[in-house]
């Protein structure tokens, strides 16, 4: 048996919903289902009753989940104790960040951190939130700057930093490029470039919800995954894109970034940034990182 299979079963037992359990595990429902099936085949016993509308544990499943919880908790405790014993020997603090934070927050923050803690080196990994969270869970990252998920793993601690500002990436020659501010109504008939939802649910939902809440339907002309690609497509005239303000730091010519007018109460939390770390672990260098970040969060938020 694999610990991942046990974690999948426990997630289903806690939620009684394959979709919610898969989101908690940062995987697709079909992949989670395969893990459960492999576990059942190995044990030679059915652990779950599942239909299109209902999920429940069998009698054997209830007994097995209790034992699985104990095993997973002991494995987590062993890993945590071993990692804690290594912290004083680790010269490098491993930090993850989504692309806009890597481009906007970290270049401002790192010089301040290094001035206060010159003995701590930081290794920065830029990646999407759904790829960073498992790395924090596994200990491959000490902390990460992410978009907080709707369902938070209880093993992780989240601290909200602030909401990034949304701007509109517009080709320089576009009629809207000279405006001081753009409304959703002015974009209603414009083709849009939107992030792929599975990899960037927050940015995708921001665009779709802004239009929906304003009474319009977004005219999606192109789906793209990376912000660099999205902004580059804007420069070629494919369409407009709603992006975080820090995306303007990407080195792409032929694009203007115009402030977006968002009515109060509409989708403002879709670009939230949080710092996340593994709960109940001792890590002096990480705690120093969190303290300096907390002390500078107000100043950093003013540039976001």
């Amino acid at each position: 048996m694999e610990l991942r299979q046990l974690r999948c079963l426990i997630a289903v037992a806690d939620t009684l919903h394959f979709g919610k359990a898969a989101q908690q595990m940062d995987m697709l429902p079909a992949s989670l289902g395969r893990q459960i099936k492999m576990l059942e085949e190995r044990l030679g016993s059915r652990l779950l009753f599942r239909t299109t509308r209902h999920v429940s544990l069998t009698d054997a499943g209830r007994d097995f989940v209790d034992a699985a919880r104990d095993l997973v908790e002991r494995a987590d405790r062993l890993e945590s104790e071993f990692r804690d014993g290594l912290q004083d020997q680790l010269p490098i603090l491993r930090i993850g960040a989504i692309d806009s934070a890597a481009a906007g927050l970290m270049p401002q923050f790192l010089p301040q951190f290094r001035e206060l803690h010159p003995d701590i080196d930081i290794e920065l990994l830029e990646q999407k939130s759904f790829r960073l969270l498992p790395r924090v869970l596994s200990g491959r990252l000490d902390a990460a700057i992410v978009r907080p998920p709707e369902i938070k793993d209880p093993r992780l601690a989240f601290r909200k930093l602030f909401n990034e500002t949304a701007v509109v990436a517009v080709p320089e020659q576009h009629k809207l490029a000279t405006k001081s501010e753009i409304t959703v109504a002015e974009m209603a008939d414009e083709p849009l470039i939107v992030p792929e939802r599975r990899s960037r649910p927050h940015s995708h939902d921001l665009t779709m919800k802004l239009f929906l809440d304003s009474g319009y339907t977004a005219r999606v002309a192109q789906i793209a995954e990376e912000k660099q690609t999205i902004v580059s497509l804007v420069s070629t005239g494919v369409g407009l894109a709603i992006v975080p303000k820090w995306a303007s730091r990407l080195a792409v010519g032929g694009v203007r970034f115009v402030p977006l007018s968002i009515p109060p109460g509409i989708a403002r939390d879709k670009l939230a940034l949080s710092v996340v770390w593994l709960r109940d672990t001792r890590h002096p260098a990480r705690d120093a990182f969190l303290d300096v970040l907390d002390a500078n969060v107000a100043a950093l938020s003013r540039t976001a």
Side-chain angles (χ1 to χ4, degrees):
M1 292 182 298
E2 298 180 7
L3 281 175
R4 183 170 179 79
Q5 294 171 352
L6 301 184
R7 295 188 196 280
C8 288
L9 177 64
I10 292 169
V12 174
D14 288 342
T15 62
L16 296 180
H17 192 286
F18 267 68
K20 292 178 180 178
Q23 188 174 6
Q24 182 176 308
M25 292 294 296
D26 289 304
M27 59 197 301
L28 294 174
S31 299
L32 182 137
R34 283 195 297 272
Q35 294 293 325
I36 299 291
K37 184 177 180 181
M38 290 167 59
L39 180 60
E40 289 179 324
E41 289 176 348
R42 181 169 185 84
L43 294 172
S45 176
R46 192 172 187 179
L47 303 174
L48 297 171
F49 290 123
R50 47 193 181 274
T51 67
T52 55
R53 294 186 177 182
H54 182 70
V55 178
S56 63
L57 290 165
T58 65
D59 290 340
R62 278 190 289 272
D63 293 338
F64 187 80
V65 165
D66 289 340
R69 287 186 196 279
D70 179 64
L71 183 59
V72 169
E73 287 172 2
R74 281 191 287 157
D76 288 342
R77 189 162 55 248
L78 174 62
E79 180 182 345
S80 176
E81 291 171 354
F82 183 77
R83 189 184 297 117
D84 286 348
L86 290 178
Q87 292 312 317
D88 294 337
Q89 306 171 35
L90 293 177
I92 296 176
L93 186 61
R94 300 157 301 174
I95 302 297
I98 62 171
D99 49 8
S100 60
L105 184 150
M106 297 305 287
Q108 300 177 74
F109 173 76
L110 287 180
Q112 299 168 343
F113 182 79
R114 289 191 180 111
E115 184 176 349
L116 292 171
H117 299 279
D119 55 322
I120 301 175
D121 291 330
I122 287 186
E123 181 180 282
L124 181 63
L125 171 67
E126 180 182 330
Q127 195 43 275
K128 301 175 187 66
S129 295
F130 82 101
R131 296 193 186 280
L132 293 173
L133 292 174
R135 285 178 166 85
V136 177
L137 269 173
S138 67
R140 287 176 290 170
L141 289 175
D142 301 310
I145 311 296
V146 300
R147 304 271 185 235
E150 292 182 6
I151 300 176
K152 298 179 176 64
D153 192 302
R155 294 169 291 172
L156 295 175
F158 289 83
R159 180 187 299 167
K160 183 174 179 180
L161 299 176
F162 45 78
N163 293 331
E164 289 187 79
T165 302
V167 298
V168 185
V170 186
E172 279 187 345
Q173 304 307 314
H174 194 279
K175 63 184 180 182
L176 296 177
T178 58
K179 295 183 69 67
S180 59
E181 190 175 65
I182 295 176
T183 65
V184 175
E186 290 172 318
M187 301 172 63
D189 295 325
E190 298 291 337
L192 300 173
I193 305 167
V194 177
E196 196 274 323
R197 191 181 189 282
R198 183 178 179 275
S199 61
R200 297 185 184 276
H202 296 81
S203 296
H204 175 94
D205 290 352
L206 170 67
T207 298
M208 307 310 287
K209 185 169 174 56
L210 274 175
F211 276 76
L212 183 63
D213 288 352
S214 299
Y216 300 98
T217 299
R219 290 185 54 207
V220 178
Q222 180 70 52
I223 299 289
E225 188 166 341
E226 303 298 337
K227 281 196 179 67
Q228 185 85 33
T229 304
I230 291 172
V231 176
S232 296
L233 287 170
V234 170
S235 72
T236 66
V238 171
L240 313 184
I242 297 174
V243 297
K245 180 180 176 181
W246 275 335
S248 63
R249 294 172 177 256
L250 299 173
V252 178
V255 179
R256 278 208 66 219
F257 295 89
V258 183
L260 174 63
S261 175
I262 302 179
I266 294 183
R268 288 181 176 269
D269 62 342
K270 291 298 181 184
L271 293 183
L273 275 185
S274 292
V275 59
V276 58
W277 65 96
L278 196 60
R279 191 185 299 277
D280 299 327
T281 55
R282 185 177 63 85
H283 197 314
R286 180 203 62 205
D287 293 343
F289 174 88
L290 295 174
D291 289 343
V292 177
L293 184 60
D294 190 52
N296 288 275
V297 69
L300 291 166
S301 68
R302 288 193 287 270
T303 72

